[in-house]
């Protein structure tokens, strides 16, 4: 059977019941985000990318927001509650029903460790599907091991994990630590988990005790070592920022290796789900929020902010452009400086070059939207659409009061406030007529009340 199929018969159990006190936040810790995705979302998506067939997420009591986020990202994932926080083994046992179904491996992930790579998850799952390895643990060499569980080795065999609070001075000198990720052989998982006792410094049921319990039964445990960076967990906002930095560097490198030019990579911020084609050029200081897709040969100029937007091949964005959710740019379209686009489709070759707001609109191919055009899409209660036909020309400083349609090839005179539909190929001018009074300024200055102010005449 292929490795991928083996992985599909594995179960991920994601622990996310922690309180996250050190975040000092009204929001549950696992809903804080790095690279545009919640912490629990990273765990879920990494398990999915590793090919694990099913996921159960263990959440704290009364956390409908966490459950909602889990279901939003992976609708098939199961959510179970841990009513009391009695330790990591107790948390895993909340998924007893799913574990009991029978899987090749149970992989336990922490909801607050977003840098774990899918390859590592797969390696752990594979390790317990071979021979007599019952437990596989993700280990790392810690620069400062304080607080971590220490991996007790006998040669190359892992024989136990000692939590920091329970460790002797000698054990505390060990720098090989438990990164939290653990795989248990599917047929042994429940037996091991149920044997865990809580006689320790924290009176908790430690998942880490599974290692010693397996060894006592003559089964083997092993360590899969990863760089410390991969095991980095989030307990406070300083660590949140540290994880963000690591992820951003990974994403920048990944995009550059895929054929994207970043002039100043350290100033560009991606989301985990950003999709970018080949030969795209991204200038400095751009931010890509969730849900952005950029096709080949597009250019994103400096200081642009994109979120939930699709940019077709060869389109040109910025500098200083803002593409909000639902912005959909056709091939070769241009969105220039100080232009905001939201929930709007721009046809191929359409141009919106300066100082414009397009919201809830459809712009036809090759249309030209002049500087300062505003789609007035909101009456304080409801949103309305503006439809602009292909090849239309909207003069500068026009307000298009939706719902309104500008027909194909039509012109709108500068400074118009358009409230009625404009037929194809028509000209609409909707502004006051210009009045010019020759010599008016001189007679104004000559008025007695203005003379007192003694402004020199011209
Ligand atoms: C845990 C490991 C430790 C390892 C460290 C790595 C245990 C006993 N210890 O310690 O060996 O070095 O992670 O970061 O596993 N959780 C629940 N319910 C509970 C308890 C915890 O859902 O009852 C969740 C937490 O939300 C968190 C994860 O399990 O996502 C780990 O719990 P945490 O309290 O952070 O364990 P550590 O003391 O860091
Ligand atoms: Mg922790």
């Amino acid at each position: 059977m292929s490795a991928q199929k083996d992985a599909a018969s594995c179960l991920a159990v994601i622990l996310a019941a922690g309180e996250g006190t050190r975040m000092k936040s009204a929001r549950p810790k696992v809903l804080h985000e790095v690279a545009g995705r919640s912490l629990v979302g990273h765990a879920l998506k990494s398990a999915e990318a590793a090919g694990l067939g099913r996921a159960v997420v263990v959440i704290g009591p009364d956390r409908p927001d966490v459950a909602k986020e889990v279901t939003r990202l992976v609708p098939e994932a199961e959510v179970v509650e841990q009513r009391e926080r009695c330790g990591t083994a107790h948390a895993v046992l909340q998924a007893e029903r799913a574990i009991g179904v029978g899987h090749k491996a149970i992989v336990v992930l922490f909801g607050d460790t977003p840098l774990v790579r899918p390859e590592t998850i797969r390696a752990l799952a594979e390790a317990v599907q071979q021979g007599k390895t019952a437990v596989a643990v993700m280990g790392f060499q810690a620069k400062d091991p304080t607080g971590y569980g220490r991996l007790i080795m006998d040669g190359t065999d892992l024989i136990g994990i000692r939590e920091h609070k329970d460790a002797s001075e000698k054990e505390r000198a060990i720098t090989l630590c438990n990164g939290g990720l653990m795989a248990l052989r599917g047929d042994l998982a429940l037996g091991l988990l149920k044997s865990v006792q809580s006689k320790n410094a924290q009176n908790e049921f430690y998942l880490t005790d599974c290692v010693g319990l397996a060894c006592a039964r003559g089964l083997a445990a092993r360590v899969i070592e990863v760089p410390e960076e991969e095991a980095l967990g989030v307990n406070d906002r300083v660590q949140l920022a540290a994880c963000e930095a690591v992820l951003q560097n990974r994403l920048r490198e990944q995009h550059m290796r895929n054929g994207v030019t970043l002039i100043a990579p350290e100033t560009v911020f991606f989301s985990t789900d950003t999709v970018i084609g080949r030969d795209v050029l991204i200038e400095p200081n751009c931010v890509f929020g969730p849900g952005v897709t950029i096709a080949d040969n597009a250019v994103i100029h400096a200081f642009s902010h994109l979120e939930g937007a699709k940019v077709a091949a060869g389109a040109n964005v910025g500098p200083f452009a803002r593409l909000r959710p639902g912005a959909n740019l056709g091939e070769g379209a241009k969105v220039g400086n100080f232009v905001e686009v939201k929930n709007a489709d721009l046809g191929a070759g359409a141009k919106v070059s300066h100082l414009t707001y397009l919201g809830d609109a459809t712009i036809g191919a090759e249309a030209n939207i002049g500087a300062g055009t505003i789609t007035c899409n909101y009456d304080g209660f409801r949103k309305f659409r503006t439809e602009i036909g292909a090849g239309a020309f909207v003069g500068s400083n026009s307000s298009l009061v939706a719902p309104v349609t500008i027909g194909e090839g039509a012109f709108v005179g500068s400074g118009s406030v358009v409230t009625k539909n404009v037929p194809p190929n028509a000209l609409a001018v909707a502004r006051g007529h210009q009045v010019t009074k020759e010599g008016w300024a001189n007679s104004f200055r000559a008025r007695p009340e203005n003379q007192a102010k003694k402004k020199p005449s011209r």
Side-chain angles (χ1 to χ4, degrees), residues 14-20 22 29-30 58-60 82 84-92 109-113 140 147-150 161-164 177-182 202 204-209 231 233 235:
I14 298 169
L15 305 190
E19 281 156 18
R22 279 180 282 163
K29 174 166 79 175
V30 292
V58 183
I59 67 171
Q82 184 191 26
E84 261 184 291
R85 234 178 153 269
C86 305
T88 42
H90 178 263
V92 176
L109 295 97
F110 291 171
D112 60 2
T113 314
F140 68 100
Y148 288 113
R150 308 300 205 281
I161 304 182
R162 194 80 67 243
E163 288 307 302
H164 182 88
C177 291
N178 173 21
L181 195 66
M182 184 185 286
Q202 303 183 81
E204 282 189 2
F205 296 90
Y206 292 160
L207 173 64
T208 43
D209 282 356
N235 295 300

Side-chain angles (χ1 to χ4, degrees), residues 14-244:
I14 298 169
L15 305 190
E19 281 156 18
T21 332
R22 279 180 282 163
M23 293 301 281
K24 309 241 166 83
S25 174
R27 225 194 313 175
K29 174 166 79 175
V30 292
L31 293 189
H32 283 263
E33 292 180 357
V34 283
R37 180 173 282 164
S38 60
L39 295 175
V40 70
H42 280 280
L44 268 165
K45 287 291 188 184
S46 301
E48 193 179 72
L52 303 196
R54 275 185 74 192
V56 181
V57 184
V58 183
I59 67 171
D62 303 318
R63 284 294 186 201
D65 40 2
V66 179
K68 204 171 146 197
E69 169 70 353
V70 168
T71 319
R72 183 180 76 82
L73 288 166
V74 180
E76 323 69 82
E78 190 185 335
V79 177
V80 295
E81 253 184 35
Q82 184 191 26
R83 295 201 169 274
E84 261 184 291
R85 234 178 153 269
C86 305
T88 42
H90 178 263
V92 176
L93 272 174
Q94 305 313 300
E96 178 171 355
R97 203 174 49 81
I99 298 171
V101 167
H103 295 272
K104 291 207 159 163
I106 309 299
V107 184
V108 181
L109 295 97
F110 291 171
D112 60 2
T113 314
L115 301 172
V116 171
R117 292 172 189 267
E119 299 89 288
T120 306
I121 298 174
R122 203 175 304 132
L124 285 165
E126 276 166 18
V128 297
Q129 292 175 58
Q130 295 159 3
K132 61 185 189 79
T133 301
V135 185
V137 172
M138 179 178 85
F140 68 100
Q141 284 292 348
K143 272 186 222 84
D144 174 9
T146 313
Y148 288 113
R150 308 300 205 281
L151 301 185
I152 317 283
M153 305 296 288
D154 181 7
T156 55
D157 293 334
L158 174 64
I159 55 166
I161 304 182
R162 194 80 67 243
E163 288 307 302
H164 182 88
K165 286 187 180 150
D166 300 288
S168 64
E169 274 310 305
K170 208 175 142 214
E171 286 165 338
R172 286 187 181 181
I174 297 171
T175 53
L176 183 62
C177 291
N178 173 21
L181 195 66
M182 184 185 286
L184 302 163
R185 211 172 85 187
D187 56 338
L188 301 168
L190 274 185
L192 289 171
L193 287 162
K194 287 186 172 174
S195 311
V196 170
Q197 305 286 311
S198 60
K199 278 180 243 134
N200 51 52
Q202 303 183 81
N203 295 315
E204 282 189 2
F205 296 90
Y206 292 160
L207 173 64
T208 43
D209 282 356
C210 288
V211 171
L213 289 166
C215 293
R217 294 180 190 184
L219 299 155
R222 52 176 285 215
V223 180
I224 291 184
E225 207 179 312
V226 298
E228 179 163 14
E229 180 188 279
E230 194 171 337
L232 196 60
V234 175
N235 295 300
D236 58 30
R237 307 218 193 202
V238 176
Q239 289 171 329
L240 187 74
C243 282
E244 179 80 49

